[in-house]
Amino acid sequence: MRQSTLLLLVLGIAALLAPLTGLYTLFLLKCVAFALFAAAFNFFTGNVGLLSIGHAAFFGMGAYAAGHVAKEWGVPTELTLVISLGVGAGLGIIIGGMAIRRQGIYFAMITLAMAQMIYFFCVQAPFTGAEDGLQRIPRGTLFGTLSLADDMTLYALVVVVALAAIWGLQRVMEAPFGHVLLAIRDNEARAISLGYDVKAYKLSAFVLSASVAGLAGGLKAITLGLASLPDVHWTMSGTVILMCLLGGLGTSLGPIVGAIIVITLESKLASMGAIQIGPLAVDFSTKVPIVIGLIFMSCVLLFRKGVVGELISAFERLRPRGRTERPLVRAS
Amino acid sequence: MLDIPLPVLLGQVTIGLVNGCFYAMLSLGLAVIFGLLNVINFSHGAVYMLGAFAAYLGSRWLGINYWIALFIVPVVVGAFGMLVERLLLRRLTGLDHLYSLLLTFGLALVLEGIFLDIYGSAGQSYNGPPQLDGLVDLGFMRLPLYRVWVVAVSLAVCVGIWLLIERTSLGAYLRAGTENARLVQALGINVPLMITLTYGLGVGLAALAGVLAAPIYQVQPLMGSNLLIIAFAVVVIGGLGSTLGAILTGLGLGIIEGLSKVFYPEISSTTVFIIMALVLLVRPAGLFGREA
């Protein structure tokens, strides 16, 4: 069975079972939107080996675009999502076209700075609602008939869209295009000498990743009814990096697992009251950034392969004749 | 464009120069650290904030005045930086530099998170030294004496660091280490110690900038967060690893940003990034960088 089919099956079953756990549907919706965002980020950074610190721009602008067209123009939901995908793609062409000219650290810093430019644009632009953001974004109707006001109907739509996108990204990696990407990551000089237009491949991958990130932003805006400045801020780019790193950068399931862990942790910590630890009462609800930062540091120092990556290597150690492991991020 | 009075123009240029001094000091530290360690120090903004808070807390708890803080805070925070380098960053040598970037990113979250938890996002005000109260009449505007002092100190420090790197034997080791650390080590120079000291120097510079900034801007946990990204852009424009590039670009961008406030205020916060994009299109290695 193809890995993409397997992934689709696993995620499909998980998405079907999730509502049975009794978790809030809104929480699940948030998990799905961020899982898609993490998968989009991983598609580029995990497979091309260049770190983007600018993906919040695509996510946030996707969310703003979706919020604006849904709220102000009453655009049907399916078109709203297409628009957020398009916004992500358009921005991806601009930022990617600029950043792809450079390698390694330069690439990371250019994406970061360009995304910050988008952030300042959003702070001042009239349609973003500044500090308040866009609130109470309507969920709208699907194909003009089916109302999405019901949580479960919306959940079904979001899951179908997200799974289709995640499957699509995985399928692209199995196609010749994806193999060329891996070849570029592992040995760019050789890929060039084989006649591949390396820049065009990198840019296509970046734009694809950016458009799916935009779509994820659109899903987030529709499901939570909110698009605001934190969505575009560079800390959001950091969060998505953390999700992928924690779950396993470069693996197909890792980013999704990582996203679910981070979202769960954030919401659990935020809702947790003061906890008695020895003589001290510690209130964790105000300490989310500290905990996230500590996890980040321990991920980098102790398990760089992430949860899924570590599991895969443990599995392969049991099977001595398994595939050789490939580096998650290209060594310089 | 011509109906803008000259005093307004000069006024904004002066204010831009003050901002440019902070850009220059932060970018210089980033450039020095990057040059020798190949580390993109994401905690640089948090360390700048730490410097400002150290000055504020020092005066509140220990009664340390501004002048003492100006010397002690960079040393203390720099020592903290050396500890971070020794205990954490060193474990990542030889790995892709993305990992050290992510480590310092996590550290920045922790540092800012701790201060956010204790002090919230509201700003604390810190009084500058009474000796520097008052205004200087520049003819076209009255500038607080303190800002003149900030410009003087940061220019002196930047020139001093530049001379240290370009004109002393210690600086020569440093530059040699940037080129080829293993070879320098083979010549009997203690490169690991040099790396620790360099990181301490960069962090100390950021902390010094924090102390200088404390009386001008509000002391608050996220004060370094957005400044950091500007400093990154400055380093990219100047050319990674170029000390002179970082200093000149920092000052220049501050002034250009000030000017853009006169001509088109809406664009002022994005000026730096637009310039970065333009520079990258024309000179991908940055203004003072060498193409790798």
Side-chain angles (χ1 to χ4, degrees), chain A:
Chain A
M1 200 192 299
R2 277 207 176 106
Q3 213 187 340
S4 52
T5 323
L6 193 64
L7 186 70
L8 190 64
L9 269 177
V10 170
L11 293 177
I13 292 171
L16 275 178
L17 293 178
L20 302 177
T21 55
L23 292 163
Y24 288 116
T25 315
L26 271 182
F27 171 76
L28 295 178
L29 284 166
K30 194 178 175 189
C31 282
V32 177
F34 277 92
L36 181 61
F37 183 27
F41 172 83
N42 178 61
F43 175 79
F44 182 76
T45 294
N47 296 324
V48 183
L50 289 170
L51 180 73
S52 159
I53 322 181
H55 263 57
F58 315 126
F59 182 76
M61 284 301 278
Y64 274 129
H68 186 73
V69 299
K71 201 176 167 185
E72 304 295 327
W73 303 347
V75 169
T77 309
E78 68 278 4
L79 196 58
T80 303
L81 293 178
V82 172
I83 289 172
S84 54
L85 187 91
V87 166
L91 272 179
I93 292 173
I94 299 170
I95 297 183
M98 199 82 75
I100 231 79
R101 300 153 61 95
R102 303 308 311 273
Q103 301 281 352
I105 280 181
Y106 282 94
F107 179 88
M109 294 178 60
I110 295 165
T111 50
L112 171 67
M114 297 297 288
Q116 191 68 359
M117 189 164 126
I118 303 284
Y119 170 77
F120 281 121
F121 168 74
C122 288
V123 171
Q124 288 175 343
F127 67 88
T128 58
E131 292 291 325
D132 296 335
L134 296 176
Q135 295 177 1
R136 282 192 288 281
I137 297 165
R139 289 174 174 186
T141 51
L142 195 62
F143 304 120
T145 48
L146 187 62
S147 166
L148 293 169
D150 175 53
D151 278 353
M152 282 321 288
T153 320
L154 184 65
Y155 180 73
L157 169 77
V158 168
V159 163
V160 167
V161 171
L163 284 190
I166 290 173
W167 176 82
L169 290 178
Q170 181 65 32
R171 191 66 194 83
V172 168
M173 283 317 293
E174 285 159 8
F177 177 82
H179 288 270
V180 177
L181 283 187
L182 294 183
I184 292 171
R185 180 187 69 180
D186 293 340
N187 194 333
E188 185 164 342
R190 188 172 293 169
I192 294 172
S193 74
L194 286 172
Y196 289 108
D197 186 350
V198 168
K199 285 210 168 95
Y201 272 93
K202 284 187 190 168
L203 184 59
S204 322
F206 191 82
V207 172
L208 198 55
S209 166
S211 29
V212 177
L215 175 67
L219 282 181
K220 185 247 167 199
I222 294 295
T223 53
L224 301 184
L226 176 73
S228 55
L229 285 176
D231 296 342
V232 236
H233 196 248
W234 61 268
T235 40
M236 180 59 85
S237 303
T239 309
V240 77
I241 297 173
L242 174 65
M243 288 170 176
C244 290
L245 197 65
L246 187 60
L249 193 62
T251 64
S252 45
L253 201 57
I256 295 154
V257 173
I260 293 172
I261 296 177
V262 171
I263 296 293
T264 310
L265 202 70
E266 276 181 353
S267 73
K268 279 271 177 279
L269 285 176
S271 63
M272 197 150 53
I275 299 243
Q276 205 70 28
I277 300 177
L280 291 166
V282 184
D283 180 12
F284 276 101
S285 60
T286 54
K287 295 184 176 56
V288 178
I290 306 178
V291 175
I292 298 280
L294 287 175
I295 296 175
F296 221 127
M297 290 170 72
S298 43
C299 256
V300 173
L301 288 169
L302 304 173
F303 59 114
R304 283 180 282 272
K305 287 180 206 152
V307 177
V308 173
E310 294 287 352
L311 283 177
I312 291 175
S313 0
F315 188 67
E316 277 172 359
R317 247 177 273 133
L318 290 176
R319 271 195 333 180
R321 284 186 299 129
R323 280 188 306 143
T324 49
E325 178 198 331
R326 49 169 219 243
L328 296 177
V329 168
R330 182 187 48 194
S332 54

Side-chain angles (χ1 to χ4, degrees), chain B residues 38-262:
Chain B
N38 266 321
V39 168
I40 290 289
N41 191 23
F42 244 88
S43 53
H44 219 64
V47 167
Y48 162 81
M49 175 275 295
L50 212 56
F53 257 102
Y56 165 73
L57 294 177
S59 91
R60 235 185 79 181
W61 291 349
L62 307 171
I64 293 175
N65 74 22
Y66 175 85
W67 302 106
I68 300 174
L70 204 56
F71 286 96
I72 286 187
V73 168
V75 173
V76 171
V77 178
F80 166 75
M82 290 189 220
L83 213 62
V84 168
E85 197 282 323
R86 260 285 141 91
L87 297 177
L88 303 174
L89 275 175
R90 180 146 304 181
R91 292 164 194 270
L92 298 175
T93 38
L95 289 170
D96 195 296
H97 40 230
L98 298 181
Y99 287 118
S100 53
L101 183 156
L102 295 174
L103 178 80
T104 51
F105 178 72
L107 182 66
L109 282 181
V110 173
L111 290 176
E112 289 178 351
I114 290 172
F115 282 90
L116 265 178
D117 189 29
I118 304 174
Y119 295 96
S121 52
Q124 320 282 335
S125 58
Y126 174 76
N127 292 329
Q131 294 89 334
L132 295 176
D133 278 347
L135 299 166
V136 185
D137 197 351
L138 297 177
F140 54 88
M141 75 179 293
R142 269 121 89 79
L143 192 68
L145 183 57
Y146 184 76
R147 300 199 182 207
V148 180
W149 159 254
V150 165
V151 173
V153 171
S154 20
L155 286 182
V157 167
C158 284
V159 171
I161 301 276
W162 182 71
L163 286 176
L164 176 78
I165 293 172
E166 297 294 329
R167 293 283 181 272
T168 65
S169 57
L170 187 68
Y173 292 148
L174 204 95
R175 280 177 286 137
T178 308
E179 290 291 326
N180 191 336
R182 284 183 63 186
L183 193 63
V184 175
Q185 174 108 45
L187 293 172
I189 289 154
N190 191 343
V191 173
L193 178 69
M194 207 163 78
I195 287 179
T196 309
L197 289 176
T198 307
Y199 193 75
L201 174 76
V203 166
L205 259 178
L208 177 66
V211 181
L212 285 172
I216 301 183
Y217 309 113
Q218 296 267 303
V219 178
Q220 57 117 333
L222 296 178
M223 63 191 286
S225 171
N226 287 336
L227 193 60
L228 171 73
I229 315 292
I230 295 182
F232 277 155
V234 168
V235 175
V236 171
I237 297 171
L240 273 185
S242 161
T243 41
L244 189 64
I247 298 171
L248 293 180
T249 315
L251 292 171
L253 280 181
I255 293 172
I256 295 175
E257 201 183 46
L259 281 176
S260 68
K261 278 186 188 139
V262 181

